[in-house]
Every structure is written in structure tokens, then in C-alpha cells.
Amino acid sequence: LISLFLNYRHGGCSAAVIDAVLGVCAHESTFLPCLTANLNINYRMKIPLGSTVQIICTLASFEGRKVKIDFKVVNLKRKDIVYIEGTSLFVATLNVLSIKNKNPPNVKPIDQ
């Protein structure tokens, strides 16, 4: 389902792409695998099929294992056109191999 309504991108497809991109951003910010805990999406405008967009991610905070990322989806040529914006919360998983290979900042293990 790319387009439920003729000539516009389906919101679920956009959400899946946003989730994947934010997951990469969370991983790159923590050097740890991260899982989506919450994804809050606000659809501002329909995205016409054939549009080229950019997802702009901003690390809002990183405390313990919680990674908060704000984002917006804009038109690539006209950044003032915002199609989607929102917030997300990711939880860094404690993978022993990741910790041994890299030194993640500000991550504290929790007792299991």
C-alpha cells in the first residue's frame, strides 16, 4: 500500500520509513542497538507521490538508556514545506559485544 488515496503517499508507509531512519539515528547516537518505545507522528500535509523528501532528525536527549529524537519530514527543495513532524523514544539495549567494542557515553546497565 503505497497510496491509499490517488496521488498521495500512504501514512503507514511514511511511518515505517521514519521508524527505520530514527532507529539508525538512535543507534549512531548511542553505539548500542535501540528499540522503538514510542513514536508520535503528526501529519501536517499529504505527501504527493513522486515527491522527494528529507527526514531531519535531532537528538533531543540521551539519559541512561532512553534516547529521545525529534524529527520532521520536509520537501527536499523547499524546507519550509513540512509534511510530517513528531517525537520518538528509543531504549538502548545492553548488548555486551557492543559495549566491549565501543565506549557508549552516559549508559548505565539496569539489573535484570
Side-chain angles (χ1 to χ4, degrees):
L1 279 175
I2 291 179
S3 176
L4 184 60
F5 299 103
L6 216 50
N7 298 324
Y8 294 102
R9 181 79 51 225
H10 187 278
C13 290
S14 300
V17 171
I18 290 166
D19 185 39
V21 169
L22 294 177
V24 171
C25 292
H27 172 72
E28 291 297 314
S29 299
T30 62
F31 303 111
L32 292 168
C34 294
L35 303 172
T36 308
N38 181 275
L39 183 58
N40 181 24
I41 298 176
N42 298 306
Y43 296 94
R44 300 294 179 208
M45 296 175 64
K46 293 180 274 189
I47 302 175
L49 285 177
S51 297
T52 305
V53 299
Q54 179 179 22
I55 301 174
I56 300 171
C57 305
T58 306
L59 180 64
S61 67
F62 177 28
E63 297 177 22
R65 295 176 50 208
K66 294 181 181 179
V67 183
K68 293 182 181 179
I69 300 174
D70 297 334
F71 67 91
K72 60 183 173 177
V73 179
V74 298
N75 185 289
L76 186 61
K77 293 182 180 177
R78 291 196 48 203
K79 305 282 194 253
D80 61 317
I81 298 176
V82 178
Y83 296 114
I84 303 169
E85 60 186 354
T87 59
S88 64
L89 171 65
F90 285 80
V91 177
T93 62
L94 291 179
N95 180 325
V96 176
L97 293 176
S98 296
I99 293 174
K100 280 172 64 174
N101 294 332
K102 302 200 180 183
N103 188 9
N106 200 23
V107 175
K108 298 174 189 159
I110 59 173
D111 295 327
Q112 296 185 8

